[in-house]
Amino acid sequence: MTIQRTDKVLQVSKLNPNVVNVEYAVRGELAIRAEQLKEQLASTPGSLPFKTITNCNIGNPQQLEQKPITFFRQVASLVDYPDLLKPENAQITSQLFKPDAVDRARTLLAAMGGSSGAYSHSKGIPLIRKHVADFIEERDGYPANPEHIFLTAGASPGVQLVLQTLIQNSNVGIMIPIPQYPLYTASIALFNGKAVPYYLDESAETFGLDIVELKRSIQEARNSGVDVRALCVINPGNPTGQVLTEESMKDIIRFCHEEKLVLLADEVYQTNIYLSTLPFHSFKKVLKSLGPAYEGLELISFNSVSKGMVGECGRRGGYFECTGVSDDIIDMFYKVASVSLCPPVQGQVMVDLTVRPPKKGDPSYPEYRAEIDAIYESLKRRATKLAAAFNSLEGVICPPAQGAMYLFPRIVLPQGAIDAAQKAGKQPDALYCMEMLNATGVCMVPGSGFCQREGTWHFRSTFLPPENQLDSFIDSVAHFHNSFVKKYSN
Ligand code: DCS
């Protein structure tokens, strides 16, 4: 006989309220509807006015046909199936894999004690952390210490580990950009801290970061009693795509120094840079260039294998580097990392490959270079083409992408749409995105999911749809937009 339980222990009203309060738009209402439509297309083909779902809601390049980098996957397969490295398989292996892939796999296997199925050190495999430190040194021209580097399962758990440790109580404030990537609002809510918004200055050209606004924001928060402890900067920006100048980064560092803030630098898009006039500078390099006066500043920088030209989001690899952070704090991070045992070893392998790709003269270099360059050039072309297409729509202003993987156009919605949204209990840009999804199969994220200045509406689209599908993608979005404006203007 089964016992009927009428009063479940697990009820929303009895859960951790911080969990209940979390919102995460890139995987929210729109993404859920997109999944339903995908299932409908599979079970009842022809039942919808489109044939496929195009997921522009998330920066997930390989979901949209981007090919993995051959060398990376070769090493990953050899590491996962080391029988291929046995002498009796040498002939097959040499037909399929270049010698540098075989060498790298052997080195990595030795560094992980022989199997990718074993737990590693909780901060990540020491050799890979050493390679990350070498990469940072070469990138910035300043030394990096492997003991100050933590490998993580993508940048997200790194950000969460740091926020969780930093948020001492519910009065601790973390400054975040608005618009922001919702990892920040969601994690701050989860750990019961206070998000302290600073607004990026939107123009037709870009989203600027202004020190006057940082001062306003911290002043306002402190006046209302919030204990502001850290400033988060996303550079290049998500969803806003701006790239900071070195001057502006120096101002931010000085601001953090004066205000006694930890600087959290989210640099996951550091190779997604599209203008030669706006190169990427790491906060670590700019901080070091300012000399001993700023030595004391605490900086934590994040990177990931999910972005760039690598796009290996599903492998879950990333790292963070601590600069100017005391050893006892690093020990606390280590303790928390140990609770999750270790980051995925496959993700760590991807970090190794990302920071130590084939070099000129290596057998795999020509193919590697060609693949990276092709992805980069294509991303740049798609960014430009899509921004132009958005700008040609009535009531839409779209700054070009200086970096990252997204466009974040501002949209002026007809009053009819705003009224209809209010009636449906939705944000107007959420209504726009939902109607777009239902009409075209294109899934974007409304600006309200990233927060935005009150009274403005946006949507975020990746520019990741394959290049050969971009024209039809643009046509269907433009067709939808015109019908939407017409429908709600009457
Ligand atoms: N930081 C920023 C600014 C991001 O955009 C993302 C992912 C992350 C961190 C975390 O990525 P990983 O954990 O995979 O390293 N961006 C999400 C987005 O906006 N679309 O796709 C995922």
Side-chain angles (χ1 to χ4, degrees):
M1 197 183 85
T2 50
I3 300 166
Q4 294 287 332
R5 296 209 50 167
T6 50
D7 56 322
K8 297 227 183 234
V9 178
L10 291 176
Q11 298 181 32
V12 173
S13 63
K14 292 184 180 171
L15 296 183
N16 176 346
N18 302 335
V19 171
V20 179
N21 290 338
V22 163
E23 284 181 34
Y24 190 70
V26 284
R27 296 252 188 191
E29 181 195 21
L30 270 294
I32 292 164
R33 176 71 182 143
E35 285 307 314
Q36 285 170 351
L37 293 174
K38 209 175 267 180
E39 277 169 28
Q40 186 178 334
L41 283 171
S43 62
T44 330
S47 61
L48 291 167
F50 45 86
K51 291 199 180 68
T52 52
I53 297 295
T54 311
N55 282 100
C56 294
N57 56 313
I58 187 156
N60 193 5
Q62 295 189 21
Q63 182 187 40
L64 289 167
E65 299 181 21
Q66 182 175 302
K67 290 228 160 45
I69 304 298
T70 305
F71 177 78
F72 289 18
R73 288 302 184 93
Q74 288 191 340
V75 175
S77 358
L78 290 166
V79 166
D80 273 351
Y81 189 48
D83 280 4
L84 288 170
L85 299 169
K86 286 185 172 161
E88 61 265 35
N89 291 324
Q91 215 188 341
I92 315 174
T93 302
S94 66
Q95 279 169 16
L96 284 171
F97 302 94
K98 298 225 166 63
D100 50 346
V102 172
D103 289 349
R104 179 68 67 87
R106 286 192 200 284
T107 308
L108 285 169
L109 272 167
M112 61 184 68
S115 174
S116 60
Y119 291 131
S120 74
H121 191 290
S122 298
K123 284 164 90 170
I125 295 165
L127 182 75
I128 302 183
R129 282 190 279 129
K130 159 86 174 58
H131 290 161
V132 173
D134 294 344
F135 158 80
I136 293 170
E137 267 185 56
E138 199 177 316
R139 183 194 65 190
D140 296 342
Y142 295 98
N145 181 346
E147 288 311 311
H148 298 168
I149 291 165
F150 286 72
L151 304 188
T152 50
S156 313
V159 169
Q160 293 200 313
L161 185 155
V162 170
L163 288 176
Q164 182 172 30
T165 311
L166 224 81
I167 298 176
Q168 183 186 17
N169 57 54
S170 60
N171 196 39
V172 168
I174 312 288
M175 295 179 73
I176 56 162
I178 297 297
Q180 54 101 36
Y181 168 51
L183 165 66
Y184 291 94
T185 38
S187 305
I188 294 168
L190 201 53
F191 304 129
N192 201 20
K194 287 211 164 54
V196 175
Y198 66 90
Y199 287 85
L200 301 177
D201 186 18
E202 179 174 8
S203 72
E205 284 311 308
T206 190
F207 284 80
L209 199 166
D210 183 8
I211 287 297
V212 174
E213 169 59 11
L214 291 184
K215 288 186 177 153
R216 180 210 60 78
S217 162
I218 198 166
Q219 217 33 267
E220 194 175 306
R222 285 188 172 154
N223 288 348
S224 61
V226 177
D227 181 2
V228 186
R229 302 260 181 104
L231 167 74
C232 161
V233 178
I234 307 175
N235 180 47
N238 174 14
T240 40
Q242 82 286 6
V243 175
L244 293 173
T245 62
E246 205 173 344
E247 267 325 297
S248 162
M249 294 170 76
K250 285 180 181 167
D251 289 343
I252 293 167
I253 290 168
R254 289 187 195 109
F255 172 80
C256 287
H257 183 73
E258 275 159 29
E259 301 291 349
K260 293 201 178 314
L261 298 174
V262 179
L263 176 54
L264 305 176
D266 184 330
E267 300 178 334
V268 302
Y269 297 103
Q270 58 188 269
T271 58
N272 294 95
I273 293 287
Y274 307 112
L275 298 180
S276 55
T277 46
L278 278 173
F280 170 75
H281 301 283
S282 74
F283 267 106
K284 164 92 181 281
K285 184 186 79 177
V286 178
L287 170 63
K288 291 287 169 192
S289 77
L290 288 174
Y294 294 90
E295 206 86 296
L297 189 88
E298 292 148 292
L299 163 69
I300 303 175
S301 314
F302 302 89
N303 198 2
S304 172
V305 304
S306 299
K307 310 298 167 183
M309 311 314 126
V310 176
E312 293 276 12
C313 320
R315 301 237 154 199
R316 309 311 293 135
Y319 69 85
F320 65 87
E321 182 196 16
C322 305
T323 307
V325 176
S326 318
D327 285 347
D328 54 345
I329 304 303
I330 292 184
D331 289 347
M332 287 288 168
F333 291 155
Y334 181 24
K335 184 171 71 179
V336 179
S338 308
V339 175
S340 309
L341 297 163
C342 72
V345 170
Q346 279 91 348
Q348 298 186 48
V349 166
M350 230 11 102
V351 172
D352 188 80
L353 295 161
T354 304
V355 299
R356 212 168 152 247
K359 288 200 179 61
K360 237 184 192 149
D362 291 348
S364 296
Y365 182 76
E367 188 178 33
Y368 165 76
R369 187 77 267 152
E371 289 174 349
I372 292 281
D373 289 350
I375 295 171
Y376 174 74
E377 291 302 332
S378 169
L379 272 177
K380 212 162 130 174
R381 283 194 298 271
R382 282 179 277 170
T384 311
K385 190 165 178 170
L386 200 54
F390 286 149
N391 273 318
S392 73
L393 301 176
E394 187 187 334
V396 176
I397 303 166
C398 181
Q402 299 171 344
M405 293 179 169
Y406 316 96
L407 292 167
F408 194 62
R410 180 169 175 181
I411 173 168
V412 179
L413 292 166
Q415 191 56 44
I418 295 169
D419 297 343
Q422 199 175 20
K423 235 185 230 161
K426 277 186 190 311
Q427 296 287 348
D429 47 11
L431 176 89
Y432 178 85
C433 289
M434 188 57 89
E435 291 204 12
M436 182 191 297
L437 174 61
N438 287 327
T440 63
V442 172
C443 185
M444 295 181 180
V445 188
S448 39
F450 304 95
C451 307
Q452 56 197 346
R453 264 195 201 280
E454 217 175 299
T456 66
W457 312 111
H458 298 79
F459 58 88
R460 187 192 79 168
S461 175
T462 69
F463 39 84
L464 297 173
E467 214 163 357
N468 61 4
Q469 296 167 29
L470 204 57
D471 283 330
S472 67
F473 171 81
I474 287 171
D475 283 350
S476 69
V477 170
H479 185 259
F480 158 76
H481 179 85
N482 295 335
S483 347
F484 182 91
V485 171
K486 202 163 156 200
K487 170 175 162 190
Y488 287 108
S489 299
N490 290 333

